[in-house]
Amino acid sequence: QVQLVESGGGLVQAGGSLSLSCAASGRTFSNYAMGWFRQAPGKERQFVASVSKNGGRKYYADSVKGRFTISRDNAKNTVYLQMNSLKPEETAVYYCAADRDGLARVSLDIDYWGQGTQVTVSS
Protein backbone atom coordinates (compact mmCIF):
# COMPACT_ATOMS: atom_id res chain seq x y z
CA GLN A 1 0.00 0.00 0.00
CA VAL A 2 1.18 3.51 -0.85
CA GLN A 3 -0.29 6.59 0.76
CA LEU A 4 -0.07 9.84 -1.18
CA VAL A 5 -0.74 13.25 0.32
CA GLU A 6 -0.83 16.33 -1.88
CA SER A 7 -0.26 19.88 -0.72
CA GLY A 8 0.27 23.31 -2.20
CA GLY A 9 -3.01 23.98 -3.94
CA GLY A 10 -4.83 27.25 -3.61
CA LEU A 11 -6.09 30.33 -5.37
CA VAL A 12 -3.92 32.18 -7.85
CA GLN A 13 -4.52 34.82 -10.49
CA ALA A 14 -4.15 34.02 -14.16
CA GLY A 15 -0.50 34.13 -15.13
CA GLY A 16 0.61 33.24 -11.64
CA SER A 17 2.45 30.23 -10.29
CA LEU A 18 1.84 27.44 -7.81
CA SER A 19 3.96 24.58 -6.62
CA LEU A 20 2.36 21.28 -5.65
CA SER A 21 3.96 18.58 -3.56
CA CYS A 22 3.03 14.95 -3.01
CA ALA A 23 4.49 13.05 -0.09
CA ALA A 24 4.45 9.27 -0.31
CA SER A 25 4.62 6.69 2.42
CA GLY A 26 4.32 2.95 2.58
CA ARG A 27 6.09 0.93 -0.06
CA THR A 28 9.38 1.89 -1.72
CA PHE A 29 8.83 5.20 -3.47
CA SER A 30 11.48 4.60 -6.10
CA ASN A 31 9.60 1.52 -7.32
CA TYR A 32 6.87 3.74 -8.75
CA ALA A 33 6.60 6.10 -11.64
CA MET A 34 4.79 9.18 -10.37
CA GLY A 35 2.33 11.42 -12.10
CA TRP A 36 -0.03 14.34 -11.76
CA PHE A 37 -3.56 14.34 -13.15
CA ARG A 38 -6.32 16.91 -12.89
CA GLN A 39 -10.07 16.86 -12.98
CA ALA A 40 -12.32 19.83 -13.52
CA PRO A 41 -16.02 19.73 -12.55
CA GLY A 42 -18.02 17.68 -15.00
CA LYS A 43 -14.94 16.56 -16.91
CA GLU A 44 -12.84 13.43 -17.03
CA ARG A 45 -9.59 13.14 -15.16
CA GLN A 46 -6.74 14.03 -17.48
CA PHE A 47 -3.01 13.46 -17.51
CA VAL A 48 -0.80 16.45 -16.71
CA ALA A 49 2.75 15.20 -16.19
CA SER A 50 4.72 12.16 -15.06
CA VAL A 51 8.24 11.17 -14.12
CA SER A 52 9.96 7.81 -14.30
CA LYS A 53 11.12 5.87 -11.26
CA ASN A 54 14.63 7.34 -11.26
CA GLY A 55 13.57 10.75 -12.51
CA GLY A 56 15.37 10.37 -15.82
CA ARG A 57 12.31 10.62 -18.06
CA LYS A 58 9.57 13.18 -17.86
CA TYR A 59 6.35 13.44 -19.83
CA TYR A 60 3.93 16.31 -20.19
CA ALA A 61 0.53 16.91 -21.68
CA ASP A 62 0.86 19.17 -24.71
CA SER A 63 -1.21 21.84 -22.99
CA VAL A 64 1.31 22.31 -20.17
CA LYS A 65 4.63 21.85 -21.95
CA GLY A 66 6.99 24.73 -21.28
CA ARG A 67 4.95 25.95 -18.31
CA PHE A 68 4.84 23.02 -15.87
CA THR A 69 7.79 21.10 -14.47
CA ILE A 70 7.60 17.76 -12.68
CA SER A 71 10.39 16.52 -10.46
CA ARG A 72 10.94 13.96 -7.73
CA ASP A 73 13.23 13.47 -4.78
CA ASN A 74 13.49 9.78 -3.96
CA ALA A 75 15.38 10.54 -0.75
CA LYS A 76 12.38 12.55 0.47
CA ASN A 77 9.69 10.31 -1.07
CA THR A 78 8.20 13.37 -2.70
CA VAL A 79 7.12 14.40 -6.18
CA TYR A 80 6.62 18.02 -7.17
CA LEU A 81 4.77 19.95 -9.83
CA GLN A 82 5.81 23.52 -10.52
CA MET A 83 3.08 25.32 -12.45
CA ASN A 84 3.77 28.65 -14.13
CA SER A 85 1.66 30.94 -16.31
CA LEU A 86 -1.53 29.35 -15.03
CA LYS A 87 -4.77 29.79 -16.95
CA PRO A 88 -8.34 29.93 -15.63
CA GLU A 89 -9.23 26.80 -17.58
CA GLU A 90 -6.68 24.92 -15.50
CA THR A 91 -8.85 25.23 -12.44
CA ALA A 92 -9.28 21.67 -11.20
CA VAL A 93 -8.53 19.20 -8.47
CA TYR A 94 -4.99 17.99 -8.98
CA TYR A 95 -4.21 14.39 -8.07
CA CYS A 96 -0.92 12.69 -7.39
CA ALA A 97 -0.61 9.16 -8.78
CA ALA A 98 1.70 6.17 -8.42
CA ASP A 99 2.20 3.55 -11.11
CA ARG A 100 4.15 0.37 -10.30
CA ASP A 101 4.53 -1.04 -13.81
CA GLY A 102 4.03 1.84 -16.24
CA LEU A 103 4.87 5.49 -16.76
CA ALA A 104 2.00 7.02 -14.78
CA ARG A 105 0.50 8.50 -17.94
CA VAL A 106 -2.74 6.55 -18.15
CA SER A 107 -5.29 6.80 -15.37
CA LEU A 108 -6.40 3.18 -15.77
CA ASP A 109 -2.85 2.03 -15.03
CA ILE A 110 -2.54 3.95 -11.77
CA ASP A 111 -2.17 1.84 -8.66
CA TYR A 112 -2.57 4.56 -6.04
CA TRP A 113 -4.15 8.01 -5.95
CA GLY A 114 -3.87 10.88 -3.54
CA GLN A 115 -6.93 12.64 -2.23
CA GLY A 116 -6.39 15.65 -4.47
CA THR A 117 -5.70 19.33 -3.94
CA GLN A 118 -7.79 22.16 -5.35
CA VAL A 119 -6.16 24.64 -7.71
CA THR A 120 -8.26 27.66 -8.63
CA VAL A 121 -7.05 30.15 -11.22
CA SER A 122 -8.98 33.41 -11.29
CA SER A 123 -9.26 35.56 -14.39
Side-chain angles (χ1 to χ4, degrees):
Q1 190 80 359
V2 173
Q3 292 79 40
L4 303 173
V5 179
E6 301 98 333
S7 61
L11 174 65
V12 65
Q13 288 188 334
S17 299
L18 277 178
S19 181
L20 304 183
S21 299
C22 172
S25 61
R27 297 184 182 269
T28 304
F29 181 69
S30 59
N31 284 346
Y32 293 82
M34 299 298 297
W36 289 94
F37 290 73
R38 64 189 179 192
Q39 188 168 19
K43 295 189 176 181
E44 293 186 354
R45 192 169 297 189
Q46 63 176 196
F47 169 75
V48 176
S50 68
V51 58
S52 61
K53 296 175 183 180
N54 65 3
R57 290 175 292 168
K58 300 178 181 180
Y59 305 92
Y60 297 93
D62 288 343
S63 60
V64 307
K65 283 180 181 176
R67 298 186 297 117
F68 289 16
T69 302
I70 190 170
S71 60
R72 67 187 295 163
D73 186 337
N74 285 349
K76 295 183 177 180
N77 290 354
T78 303
V79 61
Y80 307 94
L81 185 68
Q82 176 65 40
M83 305 184 293
N84 299 327
S85 302
L86 281 160
K87 305 174 183 179
E89 55 265 37
E90 295 179 311
T91 294
V93 177
Y94 282 69
Y95 294 92
C96 178
D99 184 347
R100 178 70 174 85
D101 297 319
L103 297 174
R105 299 178 66 180
V106 179
S107 59
L108 290 177
D109 293 340
I110 299 302
D111 296 296
Y112 300 101
W113 294 98
Q115 82 288 351
T117 186
Q118 177 70 46
V119 171
T120 302
V121 185
S122 64
S123 56

